[in-house]
Amino acid sequence: MKKYNPVIATLLLLPTSLCFANGILSDMGAHTSYIELSAKEMDSARGAAMIYGQAYPSTTSGLVTHMVTYKGWGNLYDYTSYNYIGSSYSGGTYYFSENGVDVYRVGGDSWKADTKSAPTTWVNANSQQIEYHYQILNPSTGSPTPYAFRALAWNRPINKFFW
């Protein structure tokens, strides 16, 4: 039985594998298209997107504001780092604005986090919106359409309201 040197075997096979890798990489580069976005286009792309076929928010008439406070430890973008304090309901007609113009009649949920106060105290002045889920309503009847807007700055699953 002949013994072989693994270093020599690797050196013999290395050029062959590099040829295959270069071919694959060049083929991928040839079939990839890139686009460049201006700062304004990036801001638009980062904004809320209209979604279709998602679960409805907790209400489709008026707005429910869910209040959470930061526990003081953990990741600011992880929903398990927050205490759920409660919610408040505001009836009425609300609109989703684009470029300062009221475009869509909506109803749904807004999540506001207070990261400055004590973990058991929620102060509206210290809070900021970290998520919203607004269902678009028919302008004349107020009935929900299958379209919605949702944007979030944390990782809360859409079906998680209490913990």
Side-chain angles (χ1 to χ4, degrees):
M1 184 167 170
K2 291 186 178 182
K3 293 185 178 180
Y4 69 93
N5 188 339
V7 173
I8 293 174
T10 304
L11 290 175
L12 290 173
L13 295 174
L14 186 62
T16 308
S17 64
L18 288 176
C19 290
F20 289 130
N22 287 338
I24 292 170
L25 291 176
S26 63
D27 190 49
M28 285 176 59
H31 290 91
T32 304
S33 60
Y34 298 95
I35 60 168
E36 289 188 25
L37 299 176
S38 67
K40 186 175 181 179
E41 290 170 325
M42 277 298 291
D43 287 340
S44 176
R46 277 192 290 250
M50 187 183 298
I51 56 177
Y52 178 81
Q54 296 286 317
Y56 281 178
S58 65
T59 185
T60 55
S61 63
L63 290 179
V64 174
T65 301
H66 299 274
M67 299 165 276
V68 296
T69 58
Y70 182 59
K71 292 178 182 176
W73 50 269
N75 190 332
L76 282 171
Y77 304 105
D78 183 8
Y79 79 97
T80 60
S81 300
Y82 290 87
N83 291 320
Y84 186 85
I85 301 299
S87 64
S88 66
Y89 173 77
S90 300
T93 304
Y94 294 90
Y95 291 90
F96 188 84
S97 300
E98 287 184 345
N99 298 325
V101 178
D102 291 341
V103 180
Y104 300 102
R105 183 176 172 186
V106 296
D109 297 305
S110 172
W111 292 76
K112 294 181 88 176
D114 179 358
T115 58
K116 297 178 183 175
S117 303
T120 56
T121 306
W122 189 84
V123 179
N124 189 34
N126 293 338
S127 69
Q128 61 182 2
Q129 188 176 45
I130 56 172
E131 179 180 352
Y132 59 82
H133 182 190
Y134 300 140
Q135 196 71 30
I136 297 176
L137 306 175
N138 183 305
S140 56
T141 64
S143 61
T145 68
Y147 300 99
F149 291 100
R150 183 174 187 225
L152 57 147
W154 62 345
N155 67 349
R156 183 190 68 84
I158 196 166
N159 61 351
K160 185 80 170 168
F161 280 88
F162 304 100
W163 54 93

